[in-house]
Amino acid sequence: MTEASWRDSVPETSAADLETLLGTGIGAAREQLEGHGGFLPFALAMEHGSDVRLLAVAPEASAPGAGDESGFDADAMIQDLIELLRQNRGDYRAVALVCDITLVEEDSDAIHVAAEHHDGSVFAAVLPYGLDTAGTGLEFGQLAADTNEPVVWVD
């Protein structure tokens, strides 16, 4: 019911664009997780045609003692991606940010995809994941809608 009400609140073409970005983002993140055990934040941009581009920025080392054991500053990377998308937003009709988050209440990691359309439509979702019971591979939970505010088309 939530999905139907979300789709009813935006133009059909915008909903289709956002769903394409969501599916592409989840798929690319899953590939990285399954192949490499993790992934860096990245963005997707749907050009005015229909091509979807993957955009990435180089990680900066996190400050010593910053509490990030991974050795890179994911928050800085996300801000760099947002700035890159804002600078080039005239070239895009929809964008998405994809990152690895921790769901504290569920004690789980998750893929988070936050998509927005140039017409103001937004949609975000999370896909929890963790090691399977054998500890040899990953298992994924249920995709769930999440709240999201626009960050690219905000002025």
Side-chain angles (χ1 to χ4, degrees), residues 11-71:
E12 179 60 32
T13 55
S14 300
D17 289 347
L18 296 177
E19 287 175 343
T20 295
L21 290 174
L22 173 69
T24 303
I26 293 287
R30 279 185 72 149
E31 278 183 32
Q32 289 298 308
L33 283 167
E34 291 168 344
H36 305 287
F39 68 96
L40 297 174
F42 63 92
L44 298 169
M46 182 175 283
E47 297 175 331
H48 289 291
S50 283
D51 292 338
V52 175
R53 296 180 55 205
L54 187 139
L55 305 170
V57 295
E60 294 180 24
S62 59
D68 187 351
E69 299 170 9
S70 59

Coordinates of all heavy atoms in Angstrom, one line a residue, residues 11-71:
P11 N 4.6 11.8 -11.0 CA 4.3 11.4 -12.4 C 4.9 10.0 -12.7 O 6.0 9.6 -12.2 CB 5.1 12.5 -13.2 CG 5.2 13.6 -12.3 CD 5.4 13.0 -10.9
E12 N 4.2 9.3 -13.6 CA 4.6 7.9 -13.9 C 6.1 7.9 -14.5 O 6.8 7.0 -14.1 CB 3.7 7.3 -15.0 CG 4.0 5.9 -15.4 CD 4.0 4.9 -14.3 OE1 3.2 5.0 -13.3 OE2 4.9 4.0 -14.4
T13 N 6.4 8.8 -15.3 CA 7.8 8.7 -15.9 C 8.8 9.0 -14.8 O 9.9 8.4 -14.8 CB 8.0 9.8 -17.0 OG1 7.6 11.1 -16.5 CG2 7.2 9.4 -18.2
S14 N 8.5 9.9 -13.8 CA 9.5 10.1 -12.7 C 9.6 8.9 -11.8 O 10.7 8.5 -11.5 CB 9.0 11.3 -11.9 OG 8.9 12.5 -12.6
A15 N 8.5 8.2 -11.5 CA 8.5 7.0 -10.7 C 9.3 5.9 -11.4 O 10.1 5.2 -10.8 CB 7.1 6.5 -10.5
A16 N 9.2 5.8 -12.7 CA 9.9 4.8 -13.5 C 11.4 5.1 -13.5 O 12.3 4.2 -13.3 CB 9.4 4.7 -14.9
D17 N 11.8 6.4 -13.6 CA 13.2 6.8 -13.5 C 13.8 6.5 -12.2 O 14.9 5.9 -12.0 CB 13.4 8.3 -13.8 CG 13.1 8.7 -15.2 OD1 13.1 7.8 -16.1 OD2 13.0 9.9 -15.5
L18 N 13.1 6.8 -11.1 CA 13.6 6.6 -9.7 C 13.7 5.1 -9.5 O 14.7 4.6 -8.8 CB 12.6 7.2 -8.7 CG 12.6 8.8 -8.8 CD1 11.6 9.3 -7.8 CD2 14.0 9.4 -8.6
E19 N 12.7 4.3 -9.9 CA 12.8 2.8 -9.8 C 14.0 2.2 -10.5 O 14.6 1.3 -10.1 CB 11.5 2.2 -10.1 CG 10.4 2.4 -9.1 CD 9.1 1.9 -9.5 OE1 8.9 1.6 -10.7 OE2 8.2 1.8 -8.6
T20 N 14.3 2.8 -11.7 CA 15.4 2.3 -12.5 C 16.7 2.6 -11.7 O 17.6 1.7 -11.6 CB 15.5 3.0 -13.9 OG1 14.3 2.6 -14.6 CG2 16.7 2.6 -14.6
L21 N 16.8 3.8 -11.2 CA 18.0 4.1 -10.4 C 18.1 3.2 -9.1 O 19.2 2.8 -8.8 CB 18.0 5.6 -10.0 CG 18.3 6.5 -11.2 CD1 18.1 8.0 -10.8 CD2 19.6 6.3 -11.9
L22 N 17.0 3.0 -8.5 CA 17.0 2.1 -7.3 C 17.5 0.7 -7.6 O 18.4 0.2 -7.0 CB 15.6 2.1 -6.7 CG 15.4 1.1 -5.5 CD1 16.2 1.6 -4.3 CD2 13.9 0.9 -5.2
G23 N 16.9 0.2 -8.7 CA 17.3 -1.2 -9.1 C 18.8 -1.3 -9.5 O 19.5 -2.2 -9.1
T24 N 19.2 -0.3 -10.3 CA 20.6 -0.3 -10.7 C 21.6 -0.1 -9.5 O 22.6 -0.8 -9.4 CB 20.8 0.9 -11.7 OG1 19.9 0.7 -12.8 CG2 22.3 0.9 -12.2
G25 N 21.2 0.8 -8.6 CA 22.0 1.0 -7.4 C 22.1 -0.2 -6.5 O 23.2 -0.6 -6.1
I26 N 21.0 -0.9 -6.3 CA 21.0 -2.1 -5.4 C 21.8 -3.2 -6.1 O 22.6 -3.8 -5.5 CB 19.5 -2.6 -5.2 CG1 18.8 -1.6 -4.3 CG2 19.5 -4.0 -4.6 CD1 19.2 -1.6 -2.9
G27 N 21.6 -3.3 -7.4 CA 22.4 -4.3 -8.2 C 23.9 -4.1 -8.1 O 24.6 -5.1 -7.9
A28 N 24.3 -2.9 -8.4 CA 25.7 -2.6 -8.4 C 26.3 -2.8 -7.0 O 27.4 -3.3 -6.8 CB 26.0 -1.2 -8.9
A29 N 25.6 -2.3 -6.0 CA 26.1 -2.5 -4.6 C 26.2 -4.0 -4.2 O 27.2 -4.4 -3.6 CB 25.2 -1.7 -3.6
R30 N 25.2 -4.7 -4.6 CA 25.2 -6.2 -4.3 C 26.4 -6.9 -5.0 O 27.1 -7.7 -4.3 CB 23.9 -6.9 -4.7 CG 22.8 -6.7 -3.7 CD 21.6 -7.4 -4.2 NE 21.8 -8.9 -4.0 CZ 20.9 -9.8 -3.7 NH1 19.6 -9.3 -3.6 NH2 21.1 -11.0 -3.5
E31 N 26.7 -6.5 -6.2 CA 27.8 -7.1 -6.9 C 29.1 -6.8 -6.2 O 30.0 -7.7 -6.0 CB 27.9 -6.5 -8.3 CG 27.0 -7.2 -9.3 CD 27.2 -6.6 -10.7 OE1 28.4 -6.2 -11.1 OE2 26.2 -6.5 -11.5
Q32 N 29.3 -5.6 -5.7 CA 30.5 -5.2 -5.0 C 30.6 -5.9 -3.7 O 31.7 -6.4 -3.3 CB 30.6 -3.7 -4.8 CG 30.8 -2.9 -6.1 CD 32.2 -3.2 -6.7 OE1 33.2 -3.2 -6.0 NE2 32.1 -3.6 -8.0
L33 N 29.5 -6.0 -3.0 CA 29.5 -6.7 -1.7 C 29.8 -8.2 -1.9 O 30.7 -8.7 -1.1 CB 28.1 -6.6 -1.0 CG 27.8 -5.3 -0.3 CD1 26.3 -5.2 0.0 CD2 28.7 -5.1 0.9
E34 N 29.2 -8.8 -2.8 CA 29.4 -10.3 -3.1 C 30.8 -10.5 -3.6 O 31.4 -11.6 -3.3 CB 28.4 -10.8 -4.0 CG 27.0 -10.8 -3.3 CD 25.8 -11.1 -4.2 OE1 26.0 -11.0 -5.4 OE2 24.7 -11.4 -3.7
G35 N 31.4 -9.6 -4.4 CA 32.7 -9.8 -5.0 C 33.8 -9.3 -4.2 O 34.9 -9.9 -4.2
H36 N 33.6 -8.3 -3.4 CA 34.7 -7.7 -2.7 C 34.5 -7.5 -1.2 O 35.3 -7.0 -0.4 CB 35.0 -6.3 -3.3 CG 35.3 -6.4 -4.7 ND1 36.5 -6.9 -5.3 CD2 34.5 -6.0 -5.8 CE1 36.4 -6.9 -6.6 NE2 35.2 -6.3 -6.9
G37 N 33.3 -7.8 -0.7 CA 33.0 -7.7 0.7 C 32.6 -6.3 1.2 O 32.4 -6.1 2.4
G38 N 32.5 -5.4 0.3 CA 32.1 -4.0 0.7 C 32.1 -3.1 -0.6 O 32.4 -3.6 -1.7
F39 N 31.7 -1.9 -0.4 CA 31.7 -0.9 -1.5 C 31.8 0.5 -0.9 O 31.4 0.8 0.2 CB 30.4 -1.1 -2.4 CG 29.1 -0.7 -1.7 CD1 28.6 0.6 -2.0 CD2 28.4 -1.6 -1.0 CE1 27.4 1.0 -1.4 CE2 27.2 -1.2 -0.4 CZ 26.7 0.1 -0.6
L40 N 32.4 1.4 -1.8 CA 32.5 2.8 -1.4 C 31.2 3.5 -1.9 O 30.6 3.0 -2.9 CB 33.7 3.4 -2.1 CG 35.1 2.8 -1.7 CD1 36.2 3.4 -2.6 CD2 35.3 3.1 -0.3
P41 N 30.9 4.6 -1.3 CA 29.7 5.3 -1.8 C 29.9 5.7 -3.3 O 31.0 6.0 -3.7 CB 29.7 6.6 -0.9 CG 30.5 6.3 0.3 CD 31.5 5.3 -0.2
F42 N 28.8 5.7 -4.0 CA 28.8 6.1 -5.4 C 27.5 6.7 -5.8 O 26.5 6.7 -5.0 CB 29.1 4.9 -6.3 CG 28.1 3.8 -6.4 CD1 27.1 3.8 -7.3 CD2 28.2 2.7 -5.5 CE1 26.2 2.7 -7.3 CE2 27.3 1.7 -5.5 CZ 26.3 1.7 -6.4
A43 N 27.4 7.3 -6.9 CA 26.2 8.0 -7.4 C 25.9 7.4 -8.8 O 26.7 6.9 -9.5 CB 26.4 9.5 -7.5
L44 N 24.6 7.5 -9.1 CA 24.1 7.2 -10.4 C 23.4 8.4 -10.9 O 22.7 9.2 -10.2 CB 23.1 6.1 -10.3 CG 23.6 4.7 -9.8 CD1 22.4 3.8 -9.5 CD2 24.6 4.1 -10.8
A45 N 23.6 8.7 -12.2 CA 22.9 9.9 -12.8 C 22.3 9.4 -14.1 O 22.9 8.8 -15.0 CB 24.0 10.9 -13.1
M46 N 21.0 9.7 -14.3 CA 20.2 9.4 -15.5 C 20.2 10.6 -16.3 O 19.7 11.7 -15.9 CB 18.8 9.0 -15.1 CG 18.0 8.6 -16.4 SD 16.4 7.9 -15.9 CE 16.8 6.3 -15.4
E47 N 20.8 10.5 -17.5 CA 20.9 11.7 -18.4 C 19.6 11.9 -19.1 O 18.7 11.1 -18.9 CB 22.0 11.4 -19.4 CG 23.4 11.4 -18.7 CD 24.5 11.0 -19.6 OE1 24.3 10.3 -20.6 OE2 25.7 11.4 -19.3
H48 N 19.5 13.0 -19.8 CA 18.2 13.4 -20.4 C 17.7 12.3 -21.4 O 16.5 12.2 -21.7 CB 18.2 14.8 -21.0 CG 18.2 15.8 -19.9 ND1 17.1 16.0 -19.1 CD2 19.2 16.6 -19.4 CE1 17.4 17.0 -18.2 NE2 18.7 17.4 -18.4
G49 N 18.7 11.6 -22.0 CA 18.3 10.5 -22.8 C 17.7 9.4 -21.9 O 16.7 9.6 -21.3
S50 N 18.4 8.3 -21.8 CA 18.0 7.3 -20.8 C 19.2 6.6 -20.2 O 19.1 5.7 -19.4 CB 17.1 6.3 -21.3 OG 15.8 6.8 -21.5
D51 N 20.4 7.1 -20.6 CA 21.6 6.5 -20.2 C 21.8 6.7 -18.7 O 21.6 7.8 -18.2 CB 22.9 7.0 -20.9 CG 22.9 6.6 -22.4 OD1 22.2 5.6 -22.7 OD2 23.5 7.3 -23.2
V52 N 22.3 5.7 -18.0 CA 22.6 5.8 -16.5 C 24.1 5.8 -16.4 O 24.7 4.8 -16.9 CB 21.9 4.7 -15.7 CG1 22.3 4.8 -14.2 CG2 20.4 4.8 -15.8
R53 N 24.7 6.8 -15.8 CA 26.1 6.8 -15.5 C 26.4 6.6 -14.1 O 25.7 7.1 -13.2 CB 26.7 8.2 -15.9 CG 26.5 8.5 -17.4 CD 27.1 9.9 -17.7 NE 28.5 10.0 -17.3 CZ 29.1 11.2 -17.0 NH1 28.4 12.3 -17.1 NH2 30.3 11.2 -16.6
L54 N 27.5 5.8 -13.8 CA 27.9 5.6 -12.5 C 29.0 6.6 -12.2 O 29.9 6.8 -13.0 CB 28.5 4.2 -12.3 CG 28.9 3.8 -10.9 CD1 28.4 2.4 -10.6 CD2 30.3 4.0 -10.6
L55 N 28.9 7.3 -11.1 CA 29.9 8.4 -10.7 C 30.5 8.0 -9.4 O 29.8 7.6 -8.5 CB 29.2 9.7 -10.6 CG 28.4 10.2 -11.8 CD1 27.5 11.4 -11.5 CD2 29.3 10.5 -13.0
A56 N 31.8 8.2 -9.3 CA 32.6 7.9 -8.1 C 33.6 9.0 -7.9 O 34.0 9.7 -8.8 CB 33.3 6.6 -8.2
V57 N 34.0 9.1 -6.6 CA 35.0 10.1 -6.2 C 36.1 9.3 -5.5 O 35.8 8.3 -4.9 CB 34.5 11.2 -5.4 CG1 33.5 12.1 -6.2 CG2 33.8 10.7 -4.1
A58 N 37.3 9.8 -5.5 CA 38.4 9.2 -4.8 C 38.2 9.4 -3.3 O 37.9 10.5 -2.8 CB 39.7 9.7 -5.2
P59 N 38.4 8.3 -2.5 CA 38.3 8.5 -1.1 C 39.5 9.2 -0.5 O 40.6 9.1 -1.0 CB 38.3 7.0 -0.6 CG 39.0 6.2 -1.6 CD 38.7 7.0 -2.9
E60 N 39.2 10.0 0.5 CA 40.2 10.7 1.3 C 40.4 9.9 2.5 O 39.5 9.3 3.1 CB 39.8 12.1 1.7 CG 39.6 13.0 0.5 CD 39.2 14.4 1.0 OE1 39.5 14.8 2.1 OE2 38.6 15.1 0.1
A61 N 41.7 9.8 3.0 CA 41.9 9.1 4.2 C 41.2 9.7 5.4 O 41.2 11.0 5.5 CB 43.4 9.0 4.5
S62 N 40.6 9.0 6.3 CA 40.0 9.5 7.4 C 41.1 9.9 8.4 O 42.2 9.4 8.5 CB 39.0 8.5 8.0 OG 39.7 7.4 8.4
A63 N 40.7 10.9 9.2 CA 41.6 11.4 10.2 C 41.9 10.3 11.3 O 41.0 9.6 11.7 CB 41.1 12.6 10.9
P64 N 43.2 10.2 11.8 CA 43.5 9.2 12.8 C 42.5 9.5 14.0 O 42.3 10.6 14.4 CB 44.9 9.5 13.2 CG 45.5 10.3 12.0 CD 44.3 11.0 11.4
G65 N 42.0 8.3 14.5 CA 41.2 8.4 15.7 C 39.8 8.9 15.4 O 39.0 9.1 16.3
A66 N 39.4 9.0 14.1 CA 38.1 9.4 13.7 C 37.0 8.4 13.9 O 35.8 8.6 13.8 CB 38.1 9.9 12.3
G67 N 37.5 7.2 14.3 CA 36.5 6.1 14.6 C 36.1 5.3 13.4 O 35.3 4.4 13.5
D68 N 36.7 5.6 12.2 CA 36.3 4.9 11.0 C 37.5 4.0 10.7 O 38.5 4.4 10.2 CB 36.1 5.9 9.8 CG 35.6 5.2 8.6 OD1 35.6 4.0 8.6 OD2 35.2 5.9 7.7
E69 N 37.2 2.7 11.0 CA 38.3 1.7 10.8 C 38.6 1.4 9.4 O 39.5 0.7 9.1 CB 37.9 0.4 11.6 CG 37.7 0.6 13.0 CD 37.1 -0.6 13.7 OE1 36.9 -1.6 13.1 OE2 36.7 -0.4 14.9
S70 N 37.7 1.8 8.4 CA 37.9 1.4 7.0 C 39.0 2.2 6.4 O 39.5 1.8 5.3 CB 36.6 1.7 6.3 OG 36.2 3.0 6.4
G71 N 39.5 3.3 7.0 CA 40.6 4.0 6.4 C 40.1 5.1 5.4 O 41.0 5.7 4.8

